[in-house]
Amino acid sequence: AWIVTSGLLFCVLLTTAASARQTASAFATHAERVMIRGLTYLQTGYPSRAASVFSEGLKIHPEDPALLGAMAQAQTALGDLGTARFYLERALLLDGDQPELMAQYLELSLASGDVNGALDIFRQLTTLPDFEPTSLLRQLTLLLGSVPPEMTRDLAFRSISWFPNDTVALAGAVTV
């Protein structure tokens, strides 16, 4: 009787484990579908529809950094920079070393006039090992156009050490 009972228990555990894997898979698939739908709306010029889709997705996946970042993009497109900042800050709390989220936050900081916040984020980006230099250079270009003149020279000369072989960075430093 014990062998039959333990065999049944093992079958129940296997079934439960398989069901949990299917549920986790369906959960991830749902988040992916929400992202695809929302980003499609966003890229085709319907930010309010995108925000609605992301909002529904965040009810089910409230701690998904990608969804939070996408919602911030939708809010930025709608012109609500305060709400966009809220969602990006939540995303960064969950995944603070995500270069794409940090770059998005830098751009949002510049758009809302927070140059010092943008500089802080840029400094953090320069320390990440997996951030692409071309993307970092794009952020540097944005900063050079936004920082006060007294910061421009320092930032431009630092760019030489960050990008010693990049002619755009060198040209930026030379023209300052």
Side-chain angles (χ1 to χ4, degrees), residues 49-110:
R49 288 183 184 173
S52 178
V53 168
F54 295 137
S55 178
E56 289 299 315
L58 286 169
K59 288 178 184 174
I60 298 170
H61 313 281
E63 295 188 355
D64 185 318
L67 270 177
L68 290 164
M71 176 60 113
Q73 284 180 325
Q75 294 300 321
T76 300
L78 290 169
D80 189 351
L81 301 183
T83 302
R85 182 179 291 264
F86 167 79
Y87 283 109
L88 265 178
E89 287 173 352
R90 281 185 51 200
L92 286 168
L93 281 174
L94 295 167
D95 194 0
D97 290 337
Q98 182 71 335
E100 292 81 12
L101 290 174
M102 292 175 74
Q104 187 179 350
Y105 195 75
L106 184 149
E107 291 179 24
L108 180 64
S109 295
L110 287 175

Side-chain angles (χ1 to χ4, degrees), residues 25-35 37 56-57 60-61 67:
S25 176
F27 199 65
T29 303
H30 179 263
E32 291 168 0
R33 283 193 310 251
V34 167
M35 284 295 289
R37 260 184 47 229
E56 289 299 315
I60 298 170
H61 313 281
L67 270 177

Side-chain angles (χ1 to χ4, degrees), residues 113-137:
D114 182 10
V115 175
N116 289 328
L119 282 169
D120 289 342
I121 292 290
F122 184 78
R123 287 185 189 107
Q124 291 174 29
L125 282 170
T126 62
T127 64
L128 295 178
D130 58 344
F131 196 68
E132 295 179 27
T134 54
S135 185
L136 191 59
L137 191 56

Side-chain angles (χ1 to χ4, degrees), residues 127-151:
T127 64
L128 295 178
D130 58 344
F131 196 68
E132 295 179 27
T134 54
S135 185
L136 191 59
L137 191 56
R138 179 179 179 280
Q139 304 306 321
L140 177 65
T141 304
L142 286 172
L143 275 172
L144 285 173
S146 302
V147 296
E150 62 272 9
M151 293 180 168

